[in-house]
């Protein structure tokens, strides 16, 4: 099933002029999504880490046997713009940064924001928790590069708190935003046909 094949048809003025020229087109403003109650169901969805070179079409072919089912990947992750909602490859990311900031060097040597990084380590569970707090430049400049505090608990255990600071360049910021897009949800292939059928039913009754 091609995603837009069964979208409802609407009259639309393609010229946007006083002499209206109405054409029948697919109504791309129609939106569907999965019920929030099932979006975290481990039997339906599982996590996937996108690698460089992965595309929605490649993953759809791999998991659903048909690249035309790429829309299932996009729908599961509420992706409306696969160009920028999908992680850029290294080459495309570099081109994007150069286009936006003039050069990679400029992006790496100018700063988007400053932050305080607090890392807590529990001696019992060995759980490490990292929290980041954005700072203004003056607060950042007056903060020590690194400090360590050990809290002794009543039960004899300890929590170590390490505070550091970080100047986040535009390059680092853009890279972090891009990398954050790599973890997506893949729908269990057993539900692919059912999803197609239910989507068709919804769209034909809009």
């Amino acid at each position: 099933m091609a995603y837009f094949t069964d979208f409802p048809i609407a009259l639309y003025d393609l010229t946007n002029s006083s002499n209206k020229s109405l054409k029948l087109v697919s109504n791309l403003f129609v939106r569907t999504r999965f019920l929030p109650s099932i979006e975290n169901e481990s039997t339906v969805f599982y996590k996937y880490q996108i690698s460089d070179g992965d595309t929605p079409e490649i993953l759809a072919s791999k998991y659903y046997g048909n690249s035309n089912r790429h829309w299932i990947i996009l729908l599961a992750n509420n992706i409306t713009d696969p160009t920028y909602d999908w992680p850029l490859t290294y080459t495309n990311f570099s081109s994007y940064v150069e286009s936006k900031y003039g050069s990679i060097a400029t992006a790496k040597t100018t700063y988007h924001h400053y932050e305080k990084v607090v890392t807590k380590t529990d001696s019992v569970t060995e759980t490490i928790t990292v929290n980041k707090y954005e700072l203004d430049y003056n607060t950042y400049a007056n903060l020590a590069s690194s400090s360590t505090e050990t809290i002794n608990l009543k039960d004899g255990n300890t929590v170590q708190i390490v505070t550091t600071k970080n100047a986040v360049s535009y390059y680092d910021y853009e890279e972090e935003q891009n990398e954050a897009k790599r973890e997506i949800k893949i729908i269990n292939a057993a539900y692919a046909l059912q999803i197609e059928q239910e989507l068709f039913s919804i769209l034909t009754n809009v």
Side-chain angles (χ1 to χ4, degrees):
M1 170 183 169
Y3 185 54
F4 294 113
T5 301
D6 297 304
F7 268 55
I9 302 299
L11 285 170
Y12 189 78
D13 180 12
L14 299 177
T15 62
N16 195 29
S17 64
S18 56
N19 298 318
K20 292 187 179 297
S21 176
L22 299 178
K23 301 289 185 181
L24 284 173
V25 296
S26 295
N27 186 357
L28 304 185
F29 293 104
V30 171
R31 290 288 181 265
T32 58
R33 63 167 295 175
F34 292 98
L35 292 172
S37 59
I38 69 165
E39 286 186 339
N40 294 314
E41 283 286 341
S42 59
T43 57
V44 180
F45 297 89
Y46 56 89
K47 293 179 181 179
Y48 179 84
Q49 197 75 11
I50 297 172
S51 300
D52 249 18
D54 278 343
T55 66
E57 290 79 8
I58 288 173
L59 295 183
S61 179
K62 179 179 179 180
Y63 288 98
Y64 308 129
N66 187 339
S67 61
N68 284 334
R69 285 175 165 173
H70 65 277
W71 60 268
I72 297 179
I73 305 283
L74 302 179
L75 186 62
N77 295 280
N78 297 318
I79 293 175
T80 56
D81 184 351
T83 301
Y84 289 107
D85 291 343
W86 194 264
L88 300 173
T89 64
Y90 175 77
T91 300
N92 289 342
F93 174 75
S94 296
S95 297
Y96 167 76
V97 171
E98 288 178 345
S99 173
K100 187 171 182 178
Y101 299 102
S103 70
I104 297 293
T106 299
K108 286 186 173 182
T109 54
T110 52
Y111 298 101
H112 181 272
H113 68 274
Y114 304 90
E115 60 188 19
K116 176 173 72 173
V117 183
V118 179
T119 305
K120 295 182 180 180
T121 304
D122 188 303
S123 64
V124 178
T125 63
E126 296 185 350
T127 301
I128 298 176
T129 305
V130 179
N131 291 301
K132 298 180 179 181
Y133 306 92
E134 192 167 329
L135 306 173
D136 61 72
Y137 176 75
N138 289 333
T139 303
Y140 167 82
N142 291 319
L143 187 68
S145 297
S146 179
S147 64
T148 302
E149 178 185 5
T150 300
I151 299 176
N152 297 307
L153 304 177
K154 291 182 178 180
D155 59 7
N157 296 309
T158 62
V159 174
Q160 186 183 69
I161 303 175
V162 178
T163 302
T164 57
K165 65 179 183 179
N166 188 29
V168 181
S169 69
Y170 281 100
Y171 184 91
D172 291 338
Y173 170 77
E174 296 290 357
E175 185 175 48
E176 184 175 341
Q177 294 296 304
N178 192 56
E179 292 303 303
K181 300 172 186 176
R182 292 199 181 277
E183 185 174 290
I184 62 171
K185 294 180 289 188
I186 298 286
I187 294 177
N188 189 320
Y191 298 101
L193 180 59
Q194 179 185 345
I195 291 168
E196 280 189 336
Q197 293 171 338
E198 291 190 11
L199 181 67
F200 173 77
S201 176
I202 291 170
L203 294 176
T204 54
N205 286 286
V206 170

